[in-house]
Amino acid sequence: MFAGTDSKVEVTLVGDAEEWTPVLDQCGRHFESGKVDTFVIGREKDFGSVDAVSVRLAEGNDKWYLEKVVVAVLHTGREWVFHCGAWVDAKGVRLDGGQVGTNK
């Protein structure tokens, strides 16, 4: 079974005080089977801790296998790793309890 998708993927970061769904630049070949995709997104206001991540296919009827999501704050080196290991569709998945660490 093919594990990638050509559908647009929507990621929502869930924090202490707010949720944020950044626009991901998906104009290239992203979310292919066995590949790692990296998106650099910015915002003016500090988001704080990432408590959960929601991921869903924003279009299409297919499914896509997601191993994990890593959220990293580049200027501090802080990161959260959310393991999934499941198929994602339009209903989506919510990943709670990310492992907190540093990438520096």
Side-chain angles (χ1 to χ4, degrees), residues 55-91:
V55 182
R56 71 177 198 91
L57 298 183
E59 60 183 38
N61 294 323
D62 60 347
K63 292 183 179 182
W64 163 64
Y65 187 80
L66 173 61
E67 183 178 329
K68 66 182 174 182
V69 174
V70 178
V71 179
V73 179
L74 299 179
H75 69 278
T76 65
R78 192 168 183 199
E79 70 179 19
W80 296 263
V81 179
F82 297 88
H83 294 279
C84 182
W87 293 92
V88 177
D89 58 17
K91 293 178 185 176

Side-chain angles (χ1 to χ4, degrees), residues 11-22 41-54 71-76 78-80 82 94-95:
V11 177
T12 300
L13 305 179
V14 180
D16 304 353
E18 65 179 306
E19 293 186 6
W20 180 46
T21 304
I41 51 177
R43 65 183 265 151
E44 292 183 23
K45 182 181 173 190
D46 183 20
F47 188 77
S49 292
V50 181
D51 299 328
V53 175
S54 293
V71 179
V73 179
L74 299 179
H75 69 278
T76 65
R78 192 168 183 199
E79 70 179 19
W80 296 263
F82 297 88
R94 180 179 165 114
L95 310 173

Side-chain angles (χ1 to χ4, degrees), residues 1-35:
M1 176 180 255
F2 182 67
T5 185
D6 292 327
S7 296
K8 296 290 183 191
V9 174
E10 182 178 273
V11 177
T12 300
L13 305 179
V14 180
D16 304 353
E18 65 179 306
E19 293 186 6
W20 180 46
T21 304
V23 176
L24 303 179
D25 178 11
Q26 299 177 54
C27 58
R29 299 284 301 167
H30 295 290
F31 309 113
E32 298 296 316
S33 180
K35 303 293 181 183

